[in-house]
Amino acid sequence: MKNKQVFFEDWGLIDYKEAWDRQEAIFAATVKLKTELRNRGENDASFTGIKTVTHNYLIFCEHPHVYTLGKSGKKEHLLLTEDQLAEKHAVFYPINRGGDITYHGPGQLVVYPILDLDNFFTDIHLYLRTLEEAVILTLADFGIPGGRYPGYTGVWLDADDPQKARKICALGVRCSRWVTMHGLAFNINPNLGYFKNIIPCGIEDKAVTSMEQELGKKVPVKEASEVLKRHLYILFGMLA
């Protein structure tokens, strides 16, 4: 039985490690329940008992200054020493998502979907493209034309021109037994100077941008969040 109900949570500005631990706890509990259900045969069509289902979560938040490195990333893509990190009031974490290095900070909307994709579709490529599409649609609502850059994940502007292409949203996910965690980082109005301290996503020759940079004015994170949330619910067929 598919359960498309999604519990939405706004964690506000939260320490990265605290959010990671909370994600891990929800993720581990979901995987554990899913394994137990399969072992008991409750997902079998012939099972006649009371159905138990896995839950889905959509978490929005912002983080204090932090750099995170995915499993396929290179430590040398962080261009700061430990002392320089401290001077910038930033921290660094190697983590268990896909992708390379990225930055999170105030003014950037971070989205953590913890979904059992068996409730939606079991296609990780489609999952990533759907996350991207929600951001592309959100940008369009604010008059910013976004798109995809061939060979890379995330959402880009002027993706058809290699000289102008710049990234506005990064993706990095983990998936086990079709349960997801981590997600996307959408630049609303962060301090873009912090991206100069890394080789973002391991891409040396492409710029990073934000909604503020493109529009010439700040966009309230809450306003962009509501638009993105709506598109995610529609595209995934989520139920509140």
Side-chain angles (χ1 to χ4, degrees):
M1 181 171 66
K2 292 189 175 184
N3 173 30
K4 291 184 178 291
Q5 183 180 19
V6 176
F7 296 102
F8 175 77
E9 297 184 8
D10 186 344
W11 289 354
L13 182 66
I14 182 173
D15 175 76
Y16 184 84
K17 184 62 166 60
E18 180 184 349
W20 187 11
D21 288 344
R22 288 171 69 175
Q23 267 197 93
E24 286 278 14
I26 297 170
F27 175 84
T30 304
V31 171
K32 182 174 182 287
L33 175 59
K34 191 169 186 179
T35 301
E36 290 173 350
L37 292 178
R38 289 194 170 174
N39 289 342
R40 298 205 319 252
E42 288 193 18
N43 287 337
D44 192 289
S46 63
F47 184 81
T48 57
I50 298 174
K51 291 283 187 179
T52 304
V53 296
T54 50
H55 297 303
N56 308 288
Y57 298 84
L58 182 63
I59 298 158
F60 282 14
C61 65
E62 296 176 65
H63 294 304
H65 304 299
V66 61
Y67 296 101
T68 68
L69 182 70
K71 293 183 295 182
S72 59
K74 297 179 180 179
K75 176 71 179 296
E76 55 266 33
H77 289 164
L78 174 64
L79 307 178
L80 298 174
T81 65
E82 289 189 12
D83 288 342
Q84 289 171 326
L85 276 170
E87 289 171 5
K88 294 183 178 298
H89 306 287
V91 293
F92 169 75
Y93 291 109
I95 60 173
N96 57 0
R97 60 161 171 79
D100 206 289
I101 196 165
T102 195
Y103 160 77
H104 302 307
Q108 181 193 74
L109 174 61
V110 181
V111 178
Y112 296 130
I114 306 178
L115 309 177
D116 180 354
L117 290 182
D118 270 318
N119 290 324
F120 301 94
F121 47 75
T122 51
D123 183 330
I124 196 65
H125 178 80
L126 177 59
Y127 174 65
L128 292 170
R129 302 295 81 79
T130 305
L131 292 178
E132 291 169 348
E133 188 64 20
V135 174
I136 290 169
L137 292 172
T138 299
L139 288 170
D141 285 345
F142 286 88
I144 302 173
R148 297 178 178 86
Y149 192 77
Y152 296 97
T153 59
V155 178
W156 299 71
L157 307 187
D158 286 324
D160 56 347
D161 185 341
Q163 301 303 315
K164 295 182 179 179
R166 54 209 183 276
K167 198 171 194 176
I168 197 166
C169 177
L171 268 67
V173 304
R174 177 187 176 195
C175 185
S176 177
R177 295 184 183 271
W178 294 115
V179 179
T180 67
M181 66 175 288
H182 299 298
L184 65 85
F186 184 15
N187 296 333
I188 311 301
N189 39 246
N191 182 342
L192 294 178
Y194 276 81
F195 284 99
K196 296 178 181 178
N197 304 315
I198 59 173
I199 300 175
C201 302
I203 306 170
E204 297 189 56
D205 61 342
K206 295 292 181 289
V208 176
T209 191
S210 66
M211 292 181 71
E212 178 184 19
Q213 177 91 349
E214 298 301 320
L215 295 173
K217 62 179 181 180
K218 281 189 177 293
V219 175
V221 174
K222 183 68 173 177
E223 182 180 346
S225 297
E226 289 300 322
V227 178
L228 179 61
K229 177 184 173 184
R230 183 179 76 247
H231 285 304
L232 286 168
Y233 268 77
I234 291 172
L235 289 172
F236 280 93
M238 297 172 172
L239 301 176

